[in-house]
Amino acid sequence: MIITSAKPFEEILEILKDEDDVFIIGCNVCAAKLKTGGEPEVLDMCRRLEEHGKHVVGWALPTAACSIRSYESLVEKNETIKEARCILVMGCGSGVSASASVVDLPVYGSNDTLSLGGSSGGKLLSNQCIMCGDCTVGEFGGLCPKSQCPKGLLNGPCGGAVAGKCEVNRENDCVWALIYERLKTINRLDLLYVIHAPKEHAFK
Amino acid sequence: MLFNFREKLNSSKFLVTAEISPPKGTNVSAPLEDASQLKGLADALNVTDNQCSIMHMSSLAFSKLLLDEGHEVIMQLTCRDRNRIGLQSDLLGAYALGIRNVCVMTGDFPSCGDHPGSKPVYDLDSVQLLELVRKLDEGTDLAGNGLDGGTSYCTGAVSGINPQDILQLIKLDKKVRCGADFIQTQAVYDVGMFEEFVESTVHLDAPILAGLIPLKSLRMAEYMNEHIPGIHVPDEIISRLKTASDPVEEGLSIASGTIKELMKLCRGVHIMPIGSHKNTPRLLSMTGISGD
């Protein structure tokens, strides 16, 4: 799941200050789950924009904003898009880019895209993966230090970690403390002694 | 006096290194003056690399200025601000300018400093950076390309001193396996704890220089305990500062006592005062260390 957070409404008004006749595209997958772009949020956005003097021509809720087939598929969902002069996408950054690839109008995003995460036991998990394209997560017991350590350290914690907490935010666990516990549980503490080479950052 | 830092590490001398920060700006007179007090007393000066993520003059440039004044320098190098290309080109440049010692570390996160929004790099970590220096020393770059003239660095690494912190000890083990020639530690106040740390690293073939930050006040000691990772100021020192009529003087007396104990436990001390080195020469003379 792509983790997003809704931008403050004032910021959206600022983004749209020179625009009108807005068509809104929601996302019925990740953003719907996170309440940043499902049907209730899209309807709420329509109402608030209208209250602030913006004309909303219509809206559509594709299954996933990041997998829009074509402009015609949007017209099929709601042909008022033909009257639009701009598009507001309530999905992740990928949803905004995918929409822009099929619509010849200015396209804006209403969310900030934070990380690739998920949820477990009802708890939201952020920064689970940075999509580096070179996965070695098994060597860390299934917890990725590249994504969960702010410094992405592969060979152990930095000197800023104290009592299992992170230097950057003392509220957060140091992922290396979690990796240690994981490796202990699965009886693979030997992996802690492996010297990991730098990652290759080729653009893929 | 003819010995360089590597030769001194191989001698039996109890070593003194001291930390100097480059200026925030281009006026180098104050830090050069600070360094001049240590001439003949310190075996080498560590030059910090944008310490605490606060932007300063580059460690490389200020190291060269100190070198020109006749100091032996240890250029600090963090992983925070440069990718592997930048790190290597600075290491080659520093070597060509005469810098022979480096000390590598991860580096504080940018959000700790005065440019909190800057992009954190950390292309390499400190273990990988040690491996990189070893490659340059062997005459190739990190990608395996040959160099027209390699380096021959004496390379240090840093460590916390908590003997219970298994992850830090494992990382230190990796650093030595990747070629660390010496270790400089976080500040020591609890000598008993440090002794345990030294015992737990006895299998590592790298001399240890214990960190030392002289205390100046009770508030500073309490701040250290609350905010600085890996530092533990014991109750006994806290109560000495509490009752002292002159806390700065008491702090120096505590530090000199610590150094005398450390002389039995490790190869040297690394002095990192908050502020200037005004009191460092006196501190060293209190411990019987005088210039060479």
Side-chain angles (χ1 to χ4, degrees):
Chain A
M1 178 163 61
I2 307 294
I3 310 291
T4 50
S5 72
K7 285 180 180 290
F9 185 68
E10 295 68 35
E11 195 179 328
I12 294 166
L13 278 182
E14 179 63 24
I15 290 168
L16 297 177
K17 72 173 189 296
D18 298 324
E19 300 284 2
D20 210 346
D21 300 328
V22 186
F23 187 87
I24 297 176
I25 298 176
C27 174
N28 216 9
V29 188
C30 309
K33 211 170 247 179
L34 292 163
K35 303 194 189 317
T36 56
E39 188 170 331
E41 296 78 44
V42 170
L43 292 173
D44 191 51
M45 182 65 77
C46 292
R47 181 185 58 79
R48 295 177 78 185
L49 286 175
E50 293 277 357
E51 277 172 12
H52 284 79
K54 296 283 172 195
H55 177 48
V56 179
V57 298
W59 58 275
L61 192 64
T63 309
C66 63
S67 335
I68 293 173
R69 214 167 50 246
S70 61
Y71 179 69
E72 290 68 34
S73 72
L74 288 170
V75 175
E76 254 171 57
K77 284 189 187 297
N78 187 344
E79 62 179 26
T80 60
I81 193 171
K82 290 178 180 168
E83 299 156 32
R85 284 195 286 159
C86 78
I87 307 287
L88 181 67
V89 181
M90 298 180 69
C92 66
S94 178
V96 179
S97 299
S99 303
S101 73
V102 299
V103 183
D104 292 329
L105 289 170
V107 176
Y108 303 96
S110 70
N111 293 328
D112 289 321
T113 307
L114 304 176
S115 73
L116 176 53
S119 66
S120 168
K123 205 180 130 204
L124 190 67
L125 305 170
S126 48
N127 296 307
Q128 298 298 289
C129 173
I130 55 159
M131 301 174 280
C132 69
D134 179 22
C135 191
T136 53
V137 72
E139 294 173 31
F140 307 97
L143 298 172
C144 180
K146 202 77 198 159
S147 62
Q148 294 190 55
C149 164
K151 301 179 185 178
L153 303 179
L154 296 178
N155 282 297
C158 69
V162 178
K165 295 292 175 185
C166 174
E167 166 188 289
V168 178
N169 183 345
R170 292 276 178 233
E171 310 260 294
N172 294 348
D173 291 321
C174 166
V175 71
W176 275 99
L178 302 179
I179 290 170
Y180 177 81
E181 290 305 324
R182 271 290 293 159
L183 293 176
K184 200 166 144 191
T185 305
I186 62 172
N187 206 20
R188 287 304 308 272
L189 284 175
D190 59 297
L191 288 173
L192 290 173
Y193 290 87
V194 175
I195 294 174
H196 296 276
K199 283 270 184 193
E200 295 301 318
H201 290 276
F203 185 77
K204 287 168 187 152
Chain B
M1 195 55 202
L2 291 171
F3 291 102
N4 64 30
F5 189 64
R6 188 196 291 279
E7 288 165 339
K8 283 180 173 177
L9 280 173
N10 293 328
S11 73
S12 57
K13 184 178 187 295
F14 186 76
L15 301 178
V16 176
T17 57
E19 189 170 283
I20 291 277
S21 300
K24 175 125 188 141
T26 55
N27 183 354
V28 293
S29 55
L32 284 182
E33 168 108 24
D34 202 30
S36 71
Q37 304 178 83
L38 303 170
K39 214 157 204 182
L41 279 175
D43 296 292
L45 300 178
N46 277 58
V47 184
T48 54
D49 178 10
N50 295 299
Q51 72 278 18
C52 308
S53 301
I54 297 170
M55 193 282 294
H56 286 79
M57 177 185 287
S58 78
S59 170
L60 198 169
F62 196 66
S63 291
K64 167 64 174 159
L65 292 170
L66 287 169
L67 212 57
D68 291 345
E69 297 283 313
H71 296 282
E72 178 85 356
V73 296
I74 301 172
M75 181 179 85
Q76 293 191 176
L77 193 62
T78 77
C79 302
R80 180 190 54 233
D81 306 318
R82 278 150 294 198
N83 68 8
R84 64 194 78 177
I85 298 173
L87 289 165
Q88 290 179 99
S89 80
D90 276 2
L91 281 161
L92 294 181
Y95 196 82
L97 290 171
I99 293 159
R100 294 293 177 263
N101 316 294
V102 288
C103 183
V104 311
M105 58 205 73
T106 309
D108 297 318
F109 204 70
S111 59
C112 308
D114 64 353
H115 290 66
S118 72
K119 184 173 185 177
V121 181
Y122 304 108
D123 182 26
L124 306 185
D125 63 28
S126 52
V127 172
Q128 294 159 348
L129 181 51
L130 284 161
E131 180 66 31
L132 179 152
V133 178
R134 181 153 71 182
K135 287 234 166 88
L136 298 182
D137 284 347
E138 288 166 0
T140 70
D141 68 13
L142 192 63
N145 304 303
L147 300 170
D148 184 8
T151 60
S152 179
Y153 274 118
C154 177
T155 313
V158 297
S159 179
I161 51 163
N162 180 356
Q164 315 300 331
D165 191 338
I166 297 162
L167 287 169
Q168 290 285 359
L169 292 174
I170 293 173
K171 192 163 186 183
L172 181 57
D173 182 89
K174 289 189 190 185
K175 287 176 179 179
V176 176
R177 279 156 63 204
C178 283
D181 297 306
F182 64 96
I183 307 298
Q184 291 175 312
T185 76
Q186 180 57 284
V188 176
Y189 295 102
D190 186 336
V191 176
M193 179 169 123
F194 182 73
E195 189 170 4
E196 259 185 77
F197 166 77
V198 170
E199 280 163 15
S200 60
T201 58
V202 76
H203 61 290
L204 300 177
D205 184 23
I208 293 174
L209 282 77
L212 200 100
I213 306 175
L215 294 166
K216 289 175 158 181
S217 65
L218 176 64
R219 220 180 113 223
M220 176 177 164
E222 288 170 342
Y223 182 87
M224 291 270 184
N225 271 345
E226 281 166 35
H227 298 285
I228 309 296
I231 288 191
H232 172 237
V233 184
D235 291 343
E236 187 215 329
I237 291 181
I238 298 278
S239 61
R240 276 181 69 178
L241 287 166
K242 211 176 266 179
T243 53
S245 56
D246 183 343
V248 173
E249 209 49 43
E250 189 65 20
L252 288 174
S253 157
I254 291 164
S256 76
T258 305
I259 294 175
K260 283 178 193 160
E261 292 293 315
L262 291 172
M263 285 172 164
K264 301 173 217 156
L265 297 174
C266 64
R267 282 299 318 283
V269 281
H270 175 53
I271 302 173
M272 308 170 271
I274 309 293
S276 79
H277 277 288
K278 186 174 61 134
N279 291 321
T280 305
R282 200 152 55 84
L283 168 63
L284 291 173
S285 78
M286 284 160 81
T287 65
I289 296 172
S290 57
D292 41 19

